[in-house]
């Protein structure tokens, strides 16, 4: 049942008087539940509980924390159809997408549980003493990663499950040993409350300390600002707009004790098409890219918003095929009126820039909140000189840029801001002949793709979902995959520490049999 209340630790609380409702964009009406915005007192209580919970939770064994994550996954599954129905009512997204995202969320939680059980993620490193070294003896130094403290997580609008209440940020922070306070996304507060109830049930079943998790409702920026500024919070996870992410990043850096903000923000995900790809498979790529641009009404951070090709007849044919393919696809409903309005504004700004033209015109507008797709085309020089065309338009939008030559194409890549992904469509021979293009693209992105589409992010250890600013605020980390855990930890070194009081990961016997760097050699052997 959805109560509209906040979870302050395991207590359902509604002390405030401000309420708001979520919205069904498909039916164009408000959903029934009223959500109580968290008060400052409730936020302070959640922070106090998180701080107290950290003192014990940080020291729990890997198996105990893994057990908690696995039971969260089970409890989310046990929410059954109610979760799926609520997700669809609050997002306008179809049932298949809801089920797929639930599977990914549960899968992520179980992956982090396995990462904990494996144990090697703590990066244990041991340099044994050399007491006879001259002129000074070498001490025994041992290092591993430890949790930083309570983490604030901002639920994202475009992933109501996989990047919200129990999504990748929360799962990785809990795995690291950090209590989490979620600032629920106002567009899917009911989905958030249901998932929060599953986390609380799991916490109770596995005997976790009260305060290991809290969920705060809010439909404005104040609660999020207070959370980021709260002295108890030691790091922040965010997915959303460049404006929101950079505002929170600035706030976190202005604190008396600055803290890291891991914000995953905007990206236009450039795609370079070299001539061989168009000669061999032009119509195939047109169909693939129409689908990728339209996927989920374009509301993916990996949406291909920029396609760069070299002026030629084959590029003209590709543009015409892309126009035909994109015209075949029906517009779908966007997540929320705000996102729809932002999309319409962004689209109009881009389309009104000099030297741009749509590759296909639609006779009638889509119904309210359904995003009518738009693909523009322009010349390389025009694109290069107009930064307004470089901005992300969040929705089913892209620009095909016709470059004079590879020098112009490379110059464009050098002028782009940081990106999550970059793609090259080409034959193997031809990509080998364009080292400068590959190098320019590689320097701007977190993931470089050969002959594929950027939408679809595999959750696995080798994935990098991040990139130079403004794709993310810290390009050294990934928000997807087990290594997302590294965002919430810091290394601590023990010097000449008594053997009996070392953490298991650093003990001579290596009781957890994890992979460690011992005197410069990777091994799982005891010392
Ligand atoms: P958003 O506006 O950035 O909001 C995300 C979350 O951060 C919300 O909970 C919001 O709170 C909070 N927030 C935003 N600005 C804040 C600030 N200055 N201080 C404190 N909290 C702040 O993103 P959104 O609502 O998901 O979507 C809006 C736009 O963001 C979209 O139209 C799209 O352009 C972009 N977006 C991009 C991506 C991507 O992956 N690239 C993903 C999602 C959205 P409130 O909502 O309660 O105000």
């Amino acid at each position: 049942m959805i109560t509209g209340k906040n979870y302050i630790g395991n207590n359902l609380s509604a002390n405030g008087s401000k309420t708001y409702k979520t919205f069904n964009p498909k039916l164009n009406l408000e959903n029934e539940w009223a959500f109580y915005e968290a008060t400052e007192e409730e936020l302070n209580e959640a922070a106090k509980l998180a701080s107290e919970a950290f003192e014990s939770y940080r020291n729990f064994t890997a198996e105990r924390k893994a057990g908690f994550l696995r039971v969260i996954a089970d409890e989310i599954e046990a929410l059954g159809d109610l979760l799926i129905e609520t997700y669809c009512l609050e997002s306008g997204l179809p049932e298949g997408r809801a089920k797929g995202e639930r599977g990914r969320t549960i899968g992520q939680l179980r992956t982090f549980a396995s990462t904990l059980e494996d144990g090697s993620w703590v990066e244990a490193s041991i340099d044994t003493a050399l007491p006879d070294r001259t002129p000074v003896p070498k001490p025994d130094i041992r290092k591993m990663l430890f949790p930083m403290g309570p983490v604030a997580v901002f639920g994202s609008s475009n992933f109501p499950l996989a990047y919200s209440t129990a999504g990748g940020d929360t799962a990785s922070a809990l795995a690291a040993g950090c209590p989490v306070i979620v600032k629920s996304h106002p567009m899917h507060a009911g989905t958030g409350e249901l998932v929060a109830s599953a986390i609380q049930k799991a916490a109770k079943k596995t005997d976790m300390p009260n305060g290991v998790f809290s969920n705060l409702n809010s439909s404005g920026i104040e609660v999020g600002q207070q959370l980021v500024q709260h002295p108890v919070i030691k790091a922040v996870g965010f997915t959303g707009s460049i404006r929101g992410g950079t505002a929170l990043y600035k706030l976190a850096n202005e604190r008396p004790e600055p803290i890291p903000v891991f914000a995953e923000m905007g990206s236009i995900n450039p795609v370079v098409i070299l001539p061989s790809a168009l000669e061999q498979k032009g119509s195939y790529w047109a169909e693939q890219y129409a689908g990728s641009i339209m996927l989920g009404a374009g509301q993916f951070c990996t949406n291909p918003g920029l396609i760069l090709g070299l002026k030629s007849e084959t590029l003209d044919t590709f543009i015409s095929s892309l126009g035909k393919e994109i015209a075949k696809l029906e517009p779908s409903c966007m997540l929320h009126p705000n996102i729809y309005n932002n999309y319409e504004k962004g689209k109009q700004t881009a389309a009104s820039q000099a030297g741009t033209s749509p590759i296909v015109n639609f006779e009638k507008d889509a119904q309210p909140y359904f995003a009518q797709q738009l693909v523009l085309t322009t010349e390389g020089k025009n694109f290069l000189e107009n930064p307004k065309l470089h901005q992300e338009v969040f929705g089913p939008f892209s620009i095909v840029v016709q470059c004079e030559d590879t020098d112009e194409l490379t110059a464009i890549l050098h002028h782009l801001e940081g990106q999550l992904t970059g793609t090259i469509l080409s034959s193997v021979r031809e990509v080998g002949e364009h080292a400068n293009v590959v190098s320019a693209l590689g320097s701007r992105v977190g993931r470089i793709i050969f002959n594929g589409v950027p939408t679809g992010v595999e959750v696995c250890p080798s994935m990098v979902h991040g990139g130079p600013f403004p794709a993310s605020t810290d390009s050294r980390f990934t928000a997807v995959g087990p290594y997302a855990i590294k965002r919430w930890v810091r290394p601590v070194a023990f010097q000449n520490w008594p053997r009996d009081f070392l953490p298991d990961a650093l003990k001579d016997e290596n009781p957890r049999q994890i992979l460690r760097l011992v005197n410069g050699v990777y091994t799982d052997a005891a010392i």
Side-chain angles (χ1 to χ4, degrees), residues 346-477:
K347 215 168 72 164
Q348 276 160 25
T349 304
S352 65
Q353 301 305 305
T356 63
S357 56
I359 67 168
V360 59
N361 285 305
F362 292 90
E363 279 167 17
K364 60 180 177 64
D365 283 343
Q367 67 188 91
Y369 310 132
F370 278 58
Q372 182 73 79
Q373 57 268 43
L374 176 67
V375 179
L376 300 175
T377 187
T378 191
E379 305 254 324
K381 185 170 180 292
N382 191 44
F383 183 85
L384 200 52
E385 288 170 355
N386 188 348
K388 283 198 177 146
L389 293 172
H390 304 196
Q391 305 304 312
E392 179 187 48
V393 179
F394 197 67
F397 172 87
S398 195
I399 304 183
V400 183
V401 177
Q402 303 178 49
C403 304
E404 285 298 329
D405 50 31
T406 50
D407 286 347
E408 189 174 78
L409 193 153
T410 312
I412 290 174
L413 293 175
H414 280 302
H415 274 79
L416 292 179
E417 294 181 308
Q419 306 290 334
L420 291 170
T421 74
T423 303
I424 295 200
L425 308 182
S426 164
S427 68
V428 173
R429 180 191 51 78
E430 197 176 30
V431 77
E433 292 163 1
H434 286 82
N436 53 344
V437 173
V438 176
S439 164
L441 189 61
S443 70
R444 311 305 312 132
V445 308
R447 173 165 60 112
I448 188 157
I449 300 156
F450 185 63
N451 284 346
V453 292
T455 39
V457 183
E458 187 67 33
V459 183
C460 65
S462 307
M463 178 50 69
V464 174
H465 191 68
F469 186 87
S472 73
T473 45
D474 196 332
S475 61
R476 294 168 299 173
F477 296 90

Side-chain angles (χ1 to χ4, degrees), residues 219-239:
S219 66
I221 62 173
E222 295 77 20
V223 169
Q225 287 174 332
Q226 286 162 6
L227 196 54
V228 170
Q229 287 172 308
H230 201 289
V232 153
I233 297 297
K234 298 300 178 214
V236 178
F238 171 93
T239 303

Side-chain angles (χ1 to χ4, degrees), residues 88-206:
C88 296
L89 288 175
E90 293 189 322
S91 67
L93 292 168
E95 189 183 309
R97 162 76 195 268
K99 288 185 172 164
E101 209 184 308
R102 178 179 61 184
R104 178 169 163 177
T105 308
I106 288 167
Q108 286 176 161
L109 285 156
R110 292 181 178 147
T111 300
F112 282 113
S114 304
T115 304
L116 290 181
E117 285 155 353
D118 170 77
S120 299
W121 73 274
V122 298
E123 291 179 5
S125 168
I126 299 176
D127 290 281
T128 51
L130 292 174
D132 300 330
R133 189 180 70 175
T134 56
V136 281
K138 181 184 172 196
D140 181 284
I141 308 272
R142 302 178 183 221
K143 178 194 82 167
M144 65 177 281
L145 301 173
F146 284 90
M148 291 199 291
V151 168
V153 170
F154 285 72
S156 88
S157 59
N158 58 342
F159 279 97
L161 291 172
Y163 271 82
S164 287
T165 322
D169 288 346
T170 298
S172 56
L174 289 176
C178 302
V180 170
I181 302 178
V182 167
K183 190 278 192 201
S184 173
H185 199 288
M187 296 181 195
H188 45 72
T191 307
E193 188 191 320
L194 289 175
V195 174
S197 74
I199 300 176
Q200 290 304 346
K201 269 191 194 158
K204 195 168 174 208
K205 280 188 177 172
T206 55

